[in-house]
Amino acid sequence: MNDFDLPPERTAGLRRAETLARKINLLLDVIMSESGKPFDYPAIRDGAQKAGYYLSRTRWSLLKSGKEQVVPDEALRAIAAVFDVDPDYLLLEDGNLPERVEAELELLRSMRRAEVRNFAARALGPVDPEALKAIAKILDESD
């Protein structure tokens, strides 16, 4: 049996697990804990427990890696509480990107654009200001 022979409900379960993993990993990449550091398992576990759900290290590992499993809605609500995002983001297959995540991603994009501009300015040496503006405009439009 290969992936093409899977029953539709199994395929949907696999897709949901992969989508959930992608969403969780995005949250881990862009949202920092209260200490200003990236979230680690103890912070996730403790935050989920405050929200009323014990999240084992094994389940957390499976969630992050996209392994198919039955995930109670309570677990997803607790994880959403840890990251302070709307639970629908995790609960719904097509949940909207949380505003907080969108803002963090925009900040990262701006920082990367600034790094590229600075690198280009250093690499090109003295450049006509108009040419530098044209380069900056191209970089801004590439998003």
Side-chain angles (χ1 to χ4, degrees):
M1 182 177 242
N2 61 42
D3 288 348
F4 297 109
D5 297 329
L6 293 175
E9 61 276 356
R10 176 81 194 281
T11 303
L14 290 170
R15 196 169 326 130
R16 182 174 188 230
E18 290 169 359
T19 300
L20 181 57
R22 194 171 47 256
K23 289 178 178 188
I24 286 173
N25 285 301
L26 177 62
L27 292 173
L28 287 169
D29 286 345
V30 300
I31 296 183
M32 297 294 146
S33 66
E34 290 177 1
S35 67
K37 297 180 180 177
F39 279 96
D40 56 7
Y41 168 70
I44 299 291
R45 178 200 59 217
D46 295 348
Q49 209 152 11
K50 283 181 188 173
Y53 186 84
Y54 174 74
L55 185 64
S56 71
R57 183 179 294 272
T58 302
R59 177 164 299 237
W60 180 240
S61 177
L62 292 171
L63 285 168
K64 289 189 327 177
S65 64
K67 301 295 182 203
E68 184 183 16
Q69 60 181 306
V70 175
V71 183
D73 285 353
E74 298 82 36
L76 298 177
R77 283 189 185 88
I79 293 167
V82 169
F83 290 105
D84 192 28
V85 297
D86 186 336
D88 283 347
Y89 171 66
L90 296 175
L91 292 169
L92 300 176
E93 185 89 18
D94 60 348
N96 290 333
L97 193 62
E99 199 172 300
R100 179 178 178 191
V101 173
E102 189 79 49
E104 290 289 338
L105 288 173
E106 183 53 40
L107 176 62
L108 289 172
R109 282 192 286 272
S110 296
M111 291 169 60
R112 286 187 188 129
R113 281 193 303 265
E115 287 176 27
V116 171
R117 276 192 213 108
N118 290 338
F119 174 78
R122 286 191 311 271
L124 296 173
V127 176
D128 173 35
E130 290 303 314
L132 198 53
K133 285 180 187 176
I135 291 169
K137 183 178 179 187
I138 290 168
L139 290 173
D140 288 341
E141 289 172 355
S142 67
D143 287 338

